[in-house]
Amino acid sequence: MDTKGTRDRMSRLVFYGTTGKFTWRMLATVLAGQSIIIFFGALVARGAAIADSEPAAAGRYLLVGSAVAALCLLGSGLTRKPYGVTLGWVVQLLTILAGFVVPMMFLVGLIFLALWVVSLLQGGKVDRMQAPVG
């Protein structure tokens, strides 16, 4: 098993700092798409709370879900900044945690986490390939 190769790829995961142009574009695209899905998840949580006769919880679910969706859009615009990537990781965690309210969000969170990691790794690879030589 190639543990050195795996270690090298994982060391390219950025948690804070700037990324290349291609990488931040990919990350911004992931977060923009994620915002839509999170908002739909908030609507599902609201509807389920109303069906369970919990109108107070319904409003909270919609408010918090909309805030996380807005955080996605904010993070999408900030992926060029060093803290934008960190904000993106926070959004990934919040999306997975939403699974405690709407269980299908666990799967959604894992899918977007995978897209986030692939965007970081492959985007970095493309940025290194496009870097000027010399």
Side-chain angles (χ1 to χ4, degrees):
M1 187 166 155
D2 182 22
T3 58
K4 183 181 181 329
T6 303
R7 199 172 336 127
D8 287 343
R9 281 191 296 276
M10 289 310 199
S11 68
R12 293 184 184 134
L13 276 180
V14 178
F15 293 94
Y16 177 83
T18 57
T19 59
K21 188 175 186 178
F22 188 80
T23 304
W24 65 255
R25 284 180 176 174
M26 287 181 66
L27 296 176
T29 302
V30 169
L31 289 176
Q34 191 171 354
S35 70
I36 297 166
I37 302 304
I38 288 175
F39 180 71
F40 287 150
L43 291 174
V44 169
R46 177 183 176 268
I50 289 172
D52 290 341
S53 299
E54 299 176 17
R60 282 193 305 271
Y61 290 153
L62 185 59
L63 181 66
V64 171
S66 297
V68 174
L71 196 60
C72 281
L73 291 176
L74 178 66
S76 179
L78 294 175
T79 52
R80 288 180 250 187
K81 306 288 184 191
Y83 50 84
V85 175
T86 306
L87 182 59
W89 281 107
V90 169
V91 166
Q92 300 314 313
L93 177 64
L94 292 174
T95 304
I96 292 170
L97 291 176
F100 289 108
V101 177
V102 178
M104 188 54 98
M105 290 301 286
F106 283 124
L107 178 63
V108 169
L110 290 175
I111 289 170
F112 277 105
L113 177 63
L115 288 171
W116 182 259
V117 169
V118 167
S119 295
L120 277 170
L121 295 176
Q122 293 300 325
K125 184 176 178 181
V126 170
D127 285 330
R128 285 188 299 280
M129 289 170 44
Q130 291 179 344
V133 179

